[in-house]
Amino acid sequence: VHQMTRVGIPIIGALRGHVITGGFELALGCDVLVGGTSTIFRDTHVKFGLAPCWGLSQKLARRIGPGRAKIVSLSACPVRADKAYEWGLLDELIEEIGESSSSSSSSSSNSRDNAVLKRAIELSDRIASNDPLMVRRYKRAIVEGGSMTLHNG
């Protein structure tokens, strides 16, 4: 997870369903998070007496603010997709086609999977169409700039 920030190209996470503890930490290692309306985040470290060791406590606070990070992590309560998007945890929220239908058919599930994955691929294609060196440099400037003053960044 720590190495994810060092990858030169942007990492886009396509999320659906439950994103819990270690999965939550992996998601926070991504540069961009695209999630479906079925996405639910939950940090259960405190529930089971575990220490977050992949940066969740820092990354979550930077992403949604320290107060909200405390609510999420100290309560171990789930955060649904709409709230995650509102708070800035998800960068894009994708309506999953047929989500509310009671049908559990494989084709219905595949169309929901495809909506989120399709958007993540569209975004990656758009990024890939730009100057590759500038994409790497800009990503590095954003990642490293987060810990610098405006004067030094």
Side-chain angles (χ1 to χ4, degrees):
V1 175
H2 296 296
Q3 298 298 324
M4 291 171 78
T5 57
R6 294 185 179 141
V7 173
I9 58 173
I11 299 172
I12 301 171
L15 307 173
R16 284 192 63 247
H18 294 275
V19 183
I20 302 175
T21 310
F24 198 163
E25 294 207 64
L26 283 170
L28 289 174
C30 296
D31 297 297
V32 176
L33 292 176
V34 176
T37 49
S38 69
T39 305
I40 300 172
F41 292 90
R42 190 167 184 197
D43 179 9
T44 60
H45 284 95
V46 297
K47 188 170 195 65
F48 300 107
L50 302 171
C53 54
W54 291 341
L56 187 141
S57 56
Q58 296 85 14
K59 291 176 182 178
L60 184 60
R62 289 178 186 144
R63 195 156 177 119
I64 66 172
R68 289 178 174 157
K70 289 173 190 171
I71 291 169
V72 172
S73 295
L74 301 179
S75 72
C77 288
V79 178
R80 298 201 177 281
D82 57 341
K83 184 64 70 178
Y85 179 70
E86 178 186 324
W87 285 358
L89 184 52
L90 283 176
D91 299 304
E92 290 196 12
L93 180 59
I94 306 302
E95 185 69 33
E96 294 176 90
I97 301 163
E99 180 187 343
S100 60
S101 75
S102 58
S103 170
S104 60
S105 73
S106 177
S107 65
S108 175
S109 176
N110 285 339
S111 67
R112 287 194 307 265
D113 289 341
N114 288 341
V116 176
L117 188 56
K118 179 181 176 188
R119 177 58 187 142
I121 291 170
E122 286 171 357
L123 188 55
S124 68
D125 288 344
R126 185 101 186 226
I127 291 168
S129 72
N130 293 313
D131 180 85
L133 181 58
M134 195 60 212
V135 168
R136 288 175 178 272
R137 286 180 176 171
Y138 215 135
K139 175 187 169 172
R140 189 177 70 227
I142 293 169
V143 169
E144 293 175 1
S147 62
M148 296 179 177
T149 65
L150 288 176
H151 178 71
N152 293 335

